[in-house]
Amino acid sequence: MAFTNNIMIVRHKLLADLVRLWKNDQLIEKIDRLPVELSPRRSKPMGRCCIHKERAVWRYKTFPLMGLDMTDEHDEVAPLSDYARMALSRPEPNKENIMCVIDEACSSCVQINYEITNLCRGCVARSCYMNCPKDAIRFKKNGQAMIDHDTCVSCGICHKSCPYHAIVYIPVPCEESCPVKAISKDEHGIEHIDESKCIYCGKCLNACPFGAIFEISQTFDVLQHIRKGEKLVAIVAPSILGQFNTTIEKVYGAFKEIGFADVIEVAEGAMQTTSNEAHELLEKLEEGQKFMTTSCCPSYIELVEKHIPGMKPYVSSTGSPMYYAARIAKEKHPDAKIVFVGPCIAKRKEVRRDEAVDYILTFEEIGSILDGFDIQLEQMQEFSILHTSVREAHGFAQAGGVMGAVKAYLKEEAEKINAIQVSDINKKNIALLRACAKTGKAAGQFIEVMACEGGCITGPSTHNDIVSGRRQLVQELLKRKESYETMDR
């Protein structure tokens, strides 16, 4: 795995260690020693005051990986084994929230947004003082300015006014990354995720430098069902092609080794999404509607539901590729539990709305399971998918993929349709979408919207790094010979 920061290493290693203990039937027996083993007595803490703080952080980071969160702690001195037992014995996941913040880990971030540095020259102009709307600027004996943070409201006017650029803006990385202001500090200075605003884009997950933000995992729920001998089928998102550095047949063989009864590609469902969305687009345009957006990105659907309700009439009613793939899986295996595997946090919300899907695992979690099981991909027996999906269906994994698939499906009919893409749900693109909803006009007749900048291949819970993942996906797509270009509709 190509890690892009140490937070990913920590998350991956911890879950892999937990899975390894589970596989050896030692999770409850040995989990209490895990924080000590990860931070031995004379080890150097990474960004913490001492190893005891580090161990506390390790302890609480196991909670969301076991499907729990901080509210499940009933006693601070209760051993981790109590919570492991709780996680393994529960019949079904019972958390309402999708994500959580580990308060022990969220303790070193800035409490203020603006600070005056020693670059301040104590000038006579005092632009910071003259322009502050709250009279929060004070002066030291040497004339240098300082900010009274009890009065300051972090408006940033002083920052813009200083001619020496002596006032610096100190961002809170998770808050800065959130496009919908769904995360903020509570009265204790700990970040809190407001799920009534959250669109589960996952931008905050890897933005937090202390790794305090987690999605609540269903890893052990899935593994427990496998251990009980129940039948589970994995439906795997198209971006799997860019995740592991081996053949896709060996990757699917690894899924079989984990214990899945079958593997079905979500690309098969993407073909249904493509045909249904293409016909719906033509119908809407014939009816006089000015534009239609895609509907397969669950984070975008959350954005519309919570922040741009005026966009609802313009969103396609076609189901996502997961929706159709799940029904294909249920038809083939009516007695099985269906597990969606992908790179997306928002899919956890979509899964809750879809009665055909039982659980979700991310590529990041699959990578940890493979390590925990000590599965070597190159040694796997290959498992081939019987159904061959077209190249464009696998292309849903990248930005422009849905738009490209629909246009390829429509062939000559697509020539009269102007299609554009909105890739990356950020503040600027949200404003653009809001304007489209308000005016009923857009720069294109068909708009593909993806929460992640490069599409699903750059999702928050991928296994491979972004650059390698994109490159590998493109190479894999070139190998796919089946295409709408050579097919009759």
Side-chain angles (χ1 to χ4, degrees):
M1 177 177 180
F3 297 102
T4 56
N5 64 54
N6 194 58
I7 295 304
M8 297 172 69
I9 297 174
V10 169
R11 212 161 52 214
H12 171 80
K13 176 177 174 53
L14 184 54
L15 181 53
D17 286 346
L18 292 172
V19 170
R20 189 172 295 110
L21 291 176
W22 176 89
K23 181 177 179 289
N24 297 327
D25 287 323
Q26 296 176 328
L27 183 61
I28 294 174
E29 177 187 344
K30 291 192 174 182
I31 192 173
D32 290 319
R33 292 197 57 81
L34 191 58
V36 178
E37 291 173 357
L38 293 170
S39 293
R41 177 171 292 177
R42 289 180 174 83
S43 63
K44 185 177 180 181
M46 293 187 295
R48 311 291 176 188
C49 60
C50 63
I51 59 166
H52 305 293
K53 175 71 171 180
E54 193 77 19
R55 289 172 183 173
V57 171
W58 283 119
R59 167 188 166 88
Y60 289 115
K61 282 185 176 181
T62 65
F63 276 49
L65 296 179
M66 294 191 295
L68 309 172
D69 67 12
M70 300 298 287
T71 63
D72 289 298
E73 185 180 54
H74 53 81
D75 185 350
E76 285 189 50
V77 298
L80 265 178
S81 52
D82 284 3
Y83 300 102
R85 191 175 290 108
M86 180 193 304
L88 297 185
S89 62
R90 64 180 184 176
E92 293 293 336
N94 55 8
K95 304 306 295 182
E96 290 295 324
N97 47 318
I98 303 291
M99 303 176 72
C100 69
V101 177
I102 306 300
D103 56 12
E104 282 291 336
C106 181
S107 58
S108 301
C109 221
V110 296
Q111 301 295 317
I112 53 177
N113 288 121
Y114 293 93
E115 191 61 272
I116 300 177
T117 70
N118 285 334
L119 292 174
C120 176
R121 311 309 300 163
C123 67
V124 176
R126 296 187 170 183
S127 300
C128 56
Y129 170 79
M130 297 299 293
N131 289 286
C132 178
K134 294 296 182 181
D135 193 26
I137 304 296
R138 305 286 184 267
F139 295 94
K140 303 176 185 178
K141 289 182 180 179
N142 64 358
Q144 283 190 329
M146 58 182 289
I147 297 175
D148 177 0
H149 293 293
D150 292 331
T151 309
C152 176
V153 293
S154 295
C155 65
I157 292 176
C158 62
H159 171 69
K160 297 175 183 176
S161 302
C162 178
Y164 293 104
H165 303 287
I167 304 175
V168 294
Y169 171 65
I170 310 171
V172 178
C174 60
E175 294 181 13
E176 193 83 351
S177 68
C178 180
V180 292
K181 298 182 179 179
I183 186 165
S184 59
K185 284 184 171 61
D186 62 17
E187 65 272 19
H188 305 294
I190 304 299
E191 295 295 334
H192 169 73
I193 298 172
D194 183 350
E195 297 220 7
S196 68
K197 296 179 180 178
C198 183
I199 60 173
Y200 313 110
C201 62
K203 294 180 187 294
C204 62
L205 184 74
N206 293 317
C208 174
F210 290 92
I213 303 174
F214 276 74
E215 50 188 318
I216 297 177
S217 178
Q218 296 179 350
T219 298
F220 291 98
D221 299 288
V222 172
L223 292 178
Q224 283 291 91
H225 283 296
I226 289 174
R227 174 166 282 173
K228 293 173 184 176
E230 297 179 35
K231 187 177 182 180
L232 275 73
V233 173
I235 57 172
V236 187
S239 44
I240 188 71
L241 295 180
Q243 298 305 309
F244 299 95
N245 190 24
T246 187
T247 66
I248 194 62
E249 290 78 16
K250 287 186 181 292
V251 174
Y252 292 154
F255 275 82
K256 295 283 286 184
E257 183 70 16
I258 290 170
F260 288 99
D262 195 7
V263 181
I264 292 173
E265 290 181 328
V266 172
E268 188 175 346
M271 292 183 67
Q272 292 191 34
T273 295
T274 300
S275 59
N276 291 348
E277 198 150 73
H279 292 300
E280 183 182 1
L281 174 63
L282 294 178
E283 290 172 7
K284 290 287 178 68
L285 294 179
E286 287 175 6
E287 291 170 1
Q289 186 167 302
K290 297 298 182 182
F291 68 93
M292 186 184 83
T293 77
T294 56
S295 57
C296 57
C297 175
S299 189
Y300 169 57
I301 297 303
E302 290 295 310
L303 176 71
V304 171
E305 289 289 333
K306 296 176 179 178
H307 301 279
I308 319 178
M311 182 63 84
K312 288 182 182 180
Y314 303 100
V315 178
S316 168
S317 61
T318 298
S320 71
M322 183 194 79
Y323 175 89
Y324 296 113
R327 279 141 187 84
I328 292 168
K330 278 292 187 185
E331 185 175 347
K332 187 177 179 182
H333 303 282
D335 57 336
K337 292 186 182 297
I338 308 302
V339 182
F340 173 81
V341 183
C344 181
I345 293 175
K347 279 292 182 186
R348 295 188 185 276
K349 189 70 172 181
E350 184 183 348
V351 163
R352 292 185 179 185
R353 294 194 293 261
D354 192 336
E355 70 280 359
V357 186
D358 298 284
Y359 299 105
I360 176 172
L361 291 175
T362 64
F363 292 140
E364 186 178 70
E365 290 168 341
I366 287 292
S368 295
I369 291 172
L370 294 177
D371 276 6
F373 275 53
D374 195 26
I375 290 175
Q376 305 300 317
L377 288 173
E378 289 302 329
Q379 299 174 10
M380 286 296 101
Q381 182 177 350
E382 293 188 347
F383 178 75
S384 298
I385 303 295
L386 296 178
H387 183 275
T388 302
S389 302
V390 296
R391 181 175 61 244
E392 291 86 355
H394 292 281
F396 268 55
Q398 61 186 351
V402 184
M403 179 178 70
V406 169
K407 294 190 76 172
Y409 178 85
L410 290 174
K411 297 184 178 179
E412 63 276 359
E413 291 175 280
E415 294 177 5
K416 58 185 179 183
I417 298 173
N418 179 27
I420 61 173
Q421 63 183 71
V422 176
S423 173
D424 186 11
I425 291 182
N426 54 31
K427 294 179 177 69
K428 179 180 178 181
N429 283 332
I430 290 175
L432 172 66
L433 291 169
R434 188 171 279 120
C436 292
K438 186 176 181 179
T439 62
K441 299 177 182 178
Q445 297 163 298
F446 184 46
I447 306 175
E448 176 194 291
V449 186
M450 291 280 190
C452 301
E453 188 174 358
C456 304
I457 192 64
T458 64
S461 302
T462 53
H463 174 76
N464 207 350
D465 73 279
I466 291 173
V467 175
S468 301
R470 279 176 164 174
R471 185 188 306 118
Q472 185 174 323
L473 176 66
V474 171
Q475 292 170 349
E476 289 294 326
L477 290 177
L478 290 174
K479 297 177 184 177
R480 307 280 163 163
K481 302 304 180 184
E482 293 287 331
S483 171
Y484 285 128
E485 296 173 1
T486 58
M487 288 177 60
D488 293 326
R489 248 171 47 200

